[in-house]
Amino acid sequence: MTCQKSYANNSSQMETRNHPNGAEPKSYMSRKNKNTKIIMSITAIKSIVNKTSGSIGIVKRENKDQDNISLRPNDVSNEEIWIPWVSNQQEFNDKVIEITFFSSNNKIFIWETGGKVKWSMRGFESPGRAINGNSNSDGDRRLIIEENMVVLESL
């Protein structure tokens, strides 16, 4: 059995290697864009904890139909979401993870760039603010959502 996840867009072709025994790929993704090859690591959110006093919604814009979760206060989800690589405003608009606080409609955004996971409450920022906790790219994480910040913990 093999497991494969791939993403593609108009400007580049993404591919992953197949992995035996259905294992999840981690840092085996490469991007081919003209004559350039860039190795990209994958940071996978494996668990999401809502530590806020209200319900929240989480959607990854790149894959809205599958990566779309609602959590009540103190709920935990074990849905897996890969943090998208974003390097400009257009990629942010198309791919970012968006957390919405239903009671206030405030938002928190999460993306990955330059080997770090970033977050903002205002939208795209370059270079952006490193997420609290383990902001390094690559590996499995638990996302903890609080009223005014988010934290990534290694699993």
Side-chain angles (χ1 to χ4, degrees):
M1 173 180 235
T2 59
C3 178
Q4 182 177 27
K5 279 195 177 181
S6 299
Y7 297 97
N9 63 36
N10 294 335
S11 64
S12 64
Q13 176 184 346
M14 302 287 277
E15 61 185 41
T16 60
R17 298 179 188 161
N18 288 327
H19 297 276
N21 303 322
E24 285 291 329
K26 289 197 179 184
S27 57
Y28 304 103
M29 182 175 274
S30 65
R31 172 183 274 173
K32 293 181 181 177
N33 191 353
K34 297 187 182 180
N35 296 326
T36 303
K37 184 175 181 181
I38 301 168
I39 302 299
M40 298 173 67
S41 58
I42 296 172
T43 308
I45 298 170
K46 298 279 193 165
S47 175
I48 303 170
V49 181
N50 179 8
K51 287 194 171 181
T52 70
S53 59
S55 294
I56 59 173
I58 302 147
V59 64
K60 182 177 172 183
R61 291 181 183 171
E62 183 176 41
N63 196 14
K64 292 178 184 179
D65 293 335
Q66 292 181 342
D67 294 330
N68 193 336
I69 304 163
S70 293
L71 295 174
R72 294 183 309 250
N74 301 309
D75 272 358
V76 176
S77 171
N78 291 318
E79 295 290 322
E80 179 174 325
I81 300 176
W82 288 7
I83 299 175
W85 280 85
V86 170
S87 59
N88 58 52
Q89 183 69 54
Q90 185 61 49
E91 288 179 347
F92 180 89
N93 294 345
D94 295 341
K95 297 180 179 184
V96 74
I97 294 173
E98 179 179 304
I99 301 166
T100 302
F101 296 83
F102 293 142
S103 63
S104 65
N105 209 32
N106 289 338
K107 297 184 186 301
I108 291 177
F109 304 96
I110 300 173
W111 69 97
E112 194 167 349
T113 190
K116 295 286 183 185
V117 177
K118 310 290 182 140
W119 77 287
S120 170
M121 294 182 79
R122 294 185 296 266
F124 181 68
E125 297 177 21
S126 182
R129 181 172 30 165
I131 201 165
N132 300 297
N134 185 351
S135 66
N136 295 324
S137 294
D138 196 25
D140 297 339
R141 304 283 190 276
R142 174 181 299 112
L143 175 64
I144 300 169
I145 303 166
E146 299 183 10
E147 297 293 338
N148 293 307
M149 67 178 219
V150 286
V151 178
L152 273 183
E153 294 179 346
S154 297
L155 291 178

